[in-house]
Amino acid sequence: MSTSDDPTTHAVETPSTEAIVTAKANASARTPMWKKVLRDPQAAITIGVLAAIFLVGALTPLIAPHGPNDADLSMVNAPFGTPGYILGADESGRDIFSRLLHSINTAAISALIGTSVALAVGVTAGLVGGYFNRATQSITEWIFALLMTLPGVLLLIILMPVTGGDYRATMFIFGFLLAPGIYRIVRNLVLGVKNELYVDAARVSGLGNIRILGRHVLSIVRGPIIIATAFMAGSAIAVQSGLAFLGVGSLEIPSFGAMISSGFRNFYVSPTQFLWPSLLLGVITASLVLLGNALRDTLEGSKPKATKVDAGQRVVADVERDGSTDANALLVIRDLGIAYPGVDGELNEVVRGVNLSLAAGGFLGLVGESGSGKSQTAFSTLGVLPHEAVITSGSIRFDGRELLGLDDKAMAALRGSAIAYIPQEPMSNLDPSFRVGSQLVEGLRAATGMPRKEAKERVIALLDRCGIVDPQRTFDAYPHEISGGMAQRVLITGAVASRPKLLIADEPTTALDVTVQAEILDLLRDLQDELGMAVLLVTHNFGVVADICDRIAVMNKGEIVEIGAAEEIFGAPQHEYTRMLLGSILDENAVRTDPAAAAKGGAS
Amino acid sequence: MSAQVRGRMIDELNRDYVRTLRTRGISSRSIVLKHALRNAGSPALTVMSLEFIQMFGAALIIENVFALPGFGSYAFNASLQGDIPVILGISVFGVVLVTVVNLVTDIANGWLNPKARVH
């Protein structure tokens, strides 16, 4: 790699995977996994408790005053605190304290065997099943589906003649029963990562399967596997104890289960016998489960917090509620700022000082590249910003009414009926579990309160109007049964059904192919004429706004850089960024400029 | 179980279609109880069926503690005594039970999730 300083001459070399591996190594070097884990108090405490218990277990031969099966008939059911028998002795006169210590080791060995087998089987099968071809995949899938349906404890008992009562053999089999969990985790991660570009790059650059699996895939599955191991160790110990409690297996082996069982029998003679092993077993398994939970939070990043759907938007700005309004304007956005809290808790503004106005019946195009804040502006008008978002400044006035600071109930009354929305990605915006028609009818009835029959008629008529060939069939279809273009028509139907005054269309054509795009845009324009609504069209594509918008606002890095009539923007763009966007429209008459060069020119 | 449903619900409520339903003015009660819960339900159901099968095995410990007669203790005693016909019978019963539980789960899943229906 020493000669690759000049990227142009060595562009065909295969530095991609190496670069990624080093980048990843650097990333993990910054915050080592164990350090992150130890910083979490729950993880640190449970690790401490478990380490202390298993350390004592390891030192058993040195500190245990008696052997696990040394019976002294004079000590039968000796009480708590007898000299030499601190915790007393059981029904056979065996020292409970010594047996407890030896039981720790039995538990440790059980957990070790169970989890090792599960990991070995599950990880191997998961890598193979996820990475290789479909046939291999369905065979492993089938085997593990079978394993998962076996009732664990019962199976282990029935197999007792096979294991000969040895708890180690039992745990070996139990490892197979635990393996499906690991298999599923690994397989899903592998399937997810298999088609990632860097794995493709590794394959193209000639790395063998084994090396790709070991290096690129295993590094990703590590975290989830560690988490699962903690849970599996807990369940191996619990099952081993459960079986010993039932008396399955050799009675010679000291274990928590056997001790609880014996304590249980002598419950009326000496109740504390039952207490000690239960307590220790409880502490160990609870610690493992808590450790697993703590690991999940730290290694996988804490799960998104649950939020109320109807929490409304957070506004920290002082909104002047009765400022002057332009009588002609339907929507006036002034000085709007939207921010998201960053990793360090500081607010990171994604939209700054946005001013927009849209006349009733007008058609405004909001243009900008991905991440320029145009969708955020649209969402804030609808009152559906994600809950982390904070509106830091400004005012949004719709039809003379201030929207910022309205609670979700008031916004919900406006949404659908007065302001409607067409989303970007048609397929993910339909609820997959409900028929198309029932979703549309529910929305229309929520917005207008119209009777079901009338709503259904209007939806079907509108589906027809929106260019759907067999509206009744689409009405009765599930979302996965219709195409992307049809789904977008369905979503347009849903948006305009209640005759809104303002329609916000968020890149309504991005996910569609070119011929369908043109039809959808025509439909939007026709519907605007017919219904007299104002349309705010959000897009990154100047070609889309060129035909249909009267006014255009250009947005870059959260700010509006230029706003004006469509002819002005196209005829005499003022801002550098607008010119760059215009320059990037595909035009078959001109040779395209190199995008990298254009970006450089735009930035300078 | 509850952690499972909670996680799924959080995922579902962050999905695009939830936002779109909200923009149509649909009440949050309907979105949570009708739309999100139905979509979150089917994985939870699968977990529940697997739990049920594991419970069938684990019931044995409860039967033993409270000295209840049941399949668990029957199987347990049979395997202690090497009573092969009884073990076989219980195994067959287990297979049938597992199949029935899975069938019921699949039917319920098909009702919850139209994509899972086979035409």
Side-chain angles (χ1 to χ4, degrees):
Chain A
M1 296 296 290
S2 57
T3 53
S4 64
D5 292 348
D6 183 354
T8 50
T9 51
H10 293 271
V12 214
E13 265 197 297
T14 52
S16 52
T17 57
E18 299 296 325
I20 282 156
V21 170
T22 16
K24 229 186 229 156
N26 287 344
S28 53
R30 251 175 271 138
T31 35
M33 205 193 258
W34 61 269
K35 227 175 191 175
K36 225 170 26 177
V37 168
L38 286 184
R39 222 176 283 153
D40 182 84
Q42 187 178 332
I45 291 171
T46 48
I47 288 176
V49 168
L50 289 170
I53 290 174
F54 288 116
L55 185 71
V56 171
L59 297 174
T60 299
L62 300 176
I63 49 179
H66 303 272
N69 294 314
D70 294 351
D72 184 344
L73 285 181
S74 63
M75 285 295 165
V76 167
N77 290 330
F80 175 79
T82 311
Y85 292 80
I86 320 168
L87 298 181
D90 68 4
E91 56 194 345
S92 318
R94 296 175 293 189
D95 178 28
I96 288 181
F97 179 63
S98 304
R99 279 176 69 76
L100 267 185
L101 294 182
H102 284 98
S103 298
I104 296 175
N105 290 337
T106 310
I109 294 169
S110 306
L112 211 61
I113 296 176
T115 50
S116 314
V117 172
L119 284 178
V121 174
V123 172
T124 318
L127 290 176
V128 169
Y131 191 75
F132 292 103
N133 59 35
R134 194 160 283 276
T136 336
Q137 201 176 319
S138 43
I139 293 171
T140 47
E141 189 74 2
W142 194 84
I143 294 173
F144 280 94
L146 190 71
L147 272 179
M148 263 180 126
T149 55
L150 297 171
V153 178
L154 203 55
L155 182 82
L156 293 175
I157 291 171
I158 290 174
L159 285 178
M160 209 171 64
V162 181
T163 59
D166 188 336
Y167 78 96
R168 285 165 296 196
T170 308
M171 282 298 114
F172 185 82
I173 296 172
F174 187 61
F176 281 91
L177 295 176
L178 284 172
I182 293 288
Y183 165 75
R184 292 213 144 182
I185 293 172
V186 176
R187 182 207 53 180
N188 288 342
L189 287 167
V190 172
L191 283 179
V193 94
K194 185 176 151 187
N195 298 319
E196 290 282 345
L197 289 176
Y198 69 86
V199 172
D200 278 346
R203 205 175 297 135
V204 170
S205 67
L207 288 183
N209 281 331
I210 302 286
R211 227 176 123 201
I212 294 178
L213 283 177
R215 196 164 188 183
H216 296 280
V217 178
L218 219 49
S219 63
I220 290 162
V221 300
R222 195 176 47 186
I225 287 181
I226 293 176
I227 296 161
T229 305
F231 289 116
M232 287 195 313
S235 103
I237 292 174
V239 164
Q240 194 274 328
S241 302
L243 290 174
F245 174 77
L246 294 172
V248 178
S250 164
L251 298 174
E252 300 284 294
I253 304 293
S255 94
F256 295 128
M259 293 183 72
I260 294 172
S261 168
S262 132
F264 208 62
R265 282 193 296 273
N266 295 303
F267 193 67
Y268 295 107
V269 184
S270 165
T272 51
Q273 283 186 19
F274 164 73
L275 181 68
W276 307 116
S278 313
L279 204 63
L280 197 52
L281 177 64
V283 168
I284 292 176
T285 46
S287 297
L288 282 167
V289 170
L290 290 174
L291 175 61
N293 284 333
L295 286 173
R296 173 170 293 162
D297 287 348
T298 47
L299 296 183
E300 291 192 341
S302 48
K303 280 232 158 198
K305 293 230 173 69
T307 42
K308 282 181 79 179
V309 188
D310 51 2
Q313 297 187 136
R314 279 198 289 162
V315 181
V316 297
D318 296 325
V319 181
E320 46 171 314
R321 213 147 281 285
D322 34 41
S324 61
T325 34
D326 183 353
N328 288 328
L330 179 68
L331 174 71
V332 181
I333 298 179
R334 269 194 327 213
D335 190 34
L336 179 69
I338 301 170
Y340 282 82
V343 193
D344 47 359
E346 268 186 41
L347 287 179
N348 188 7
E349 280 212 314
V350 295
V351 170
R352 276 183 305 272
V354 161
N355 291 298
L356 275 182
S357 83
L358 177 55
F363 210 125
L364 174 70
L366 184 57
V367 191
E369 60 191 11
S370 313
S372 58
K374 37 191 207 322
S375 292
Q376 299 302 319
T377 309
F379 288 156
S380 64
T381 310
L382 286 157
V384 292
L385 278 174
H387 63 269
E388 305 92 351
V390 183
I391 294 175
T392 49
S393 69
S395 110
I396 298 176
R397 207 165 280 247
F398 174 76
D399 218 0
R401 188 167 168 208
E402 179 58 50
L403 297 188
L404 292 188
L406 284 186
D407 65 359
D408 197 67
K409 217 168 184 181
M411 279 308 292
L414 279 176
R415 282 196 296 258
S417 55
I419 310 178
Y421 167 74
I422 303 175
Q424 176 172 4
E425 167 59 53
M427 289 318 274
S428 69
N429 278 289
L430 286 167
D431 183 340
S433 298
F434 287 86
R435 289 176 200 275
V436 166
S438 80
Q439 297 184 40
L440 296 182
V441 168
E442 188 187 0
L444 182 55
R445 295 189 66 214
T448 60
M450 118 188 340
R452 186 175 298 275
K453 194 159 163 273
E454 202 184 328
K456 187 182 166 182
E457 277 162 13
R458 190 195 275 196
V459 164
I460 290 186
L462 257 174
L463 282 171
D464 188 34
R465 171 67 196 82
C466 288
I468 283 179
V469 182
D470 189 348
Q472 182 63 50
R473 219 184 86 198
T474 306
F475 188 89
D476 291 327
Y478 282 101
H480 68 277
E481 296 168 334
I482 62 177
S483 71
M486 273 164 88
Q488 192 58 285
R489 287 172 201 273
V490 165
L491 287 164
I492 292 176
T493 306
V496 300
S498 50
R499 314 258 154 87
K501 287 181 184 165
L502 170 64
L503 176 65
I504 296 178
D506 186 4
E507 310 222 15
T509 58
T510 309
L512 307 172
D513 60 49
V514 183
T515 46
V516 185
Q517 282 189 12
E519 288 169 30
I520 295 286
L521 288 175
D522 282 342
L523 173 63
L524 271 182
R525 185 168 36 196
D526 293 349
L527 285 172
Q528 190 222 359
D529 280 349
E530 279 172 41
L531 305 176
M533 26 174 212
V535 178
L536 175 63
L537 178 66
V538 177
T539 179
H540 64 261
N541 186 344
F542 253 116
V544 166
V545 293
D547 311 339
I548 49 175
C549 296
D550 343 312
R551 284 169 66 77
I552 295 175
V554 181
M555 211 165 168
N556 182 26
K557 295 189 181 130
E559 290 177 79
I560 296 231
V561 295
E562 190 164 2
I563 184 164
E567 307 85 59
E568 288 169 31
I569 301 269
F570 275 94
Q574 299 299 309
H575 197 272
E576 195 82 46
Y577 180 74
T578 315
R579 266 177 253 152
M580 194 190 104
L581 279 182
L582 280 170
S584 61
I585 299 179
L586 294 182
D587 183 356
E588 48 285 24
N589 297 327
V591 179
R592 251 195 296 164
T593 41
D594 184 21
K600 228 179 238 171
S604 60
Chain B
M1 185 68 210
S2 102
Q4 166 87 13
V5 175
R6 175 177 181 272
R8 290 289 312 175
M9 281 299 279
I10 291 174
D11 288 349
E12 287 300 327
L13 289 175
N14 282 324
R15 297 273 290 272
D16 286 350
Y17 71 81
V18 167
R19 186 173 58 219
T20 303
L21 290 172
R22 284 182 66 201
T23 64
R24 300 219 188 103
I26 293 175
S27 69
S28 46
R29 200 186 52 164
S30 161
I31 288 176
V32 172
L33 293 181
K34 193 171 153 190
H35 295 276
L37 190 60
R38 181 153 171 185
N39 283 294
S42 112
L45 200 68
T46 308
V47 172
M48 212 153 75
S49 77
L50 291 172
E51 295 272 305
F52 180 86
I53 293 162
Q54 294 311 319
M55 294 283 185
F56 175 60
L60 167 53
I61 293 177
I62 307 293
E63 286 169 16
N64 198 291
V65 171
F66 297 103
L68 299 167
F71 264 101
S73 41
Y74 192 34
F76 175 55
N77 292 328
S79 55
L80 281 184
Q81 292 153 10
D83 189 343
I84 301 295
V86 172
I87 296 178
L88 276 178
I90 286 169
S91 304
V92 169
F93 176 79
V95 169
V96 172
L97 185 78
V98 166
T99 316
V100 168
V101 168
N102 284 347
L103 185 70
V104 171
T105 311
D106 284 349
I107 291 172
N109 261 333
W111 174 72
L112 278 177
N113 177 5
K115 273 190 220 173
R117 287 174 211 170
V118 183
H119 293 284

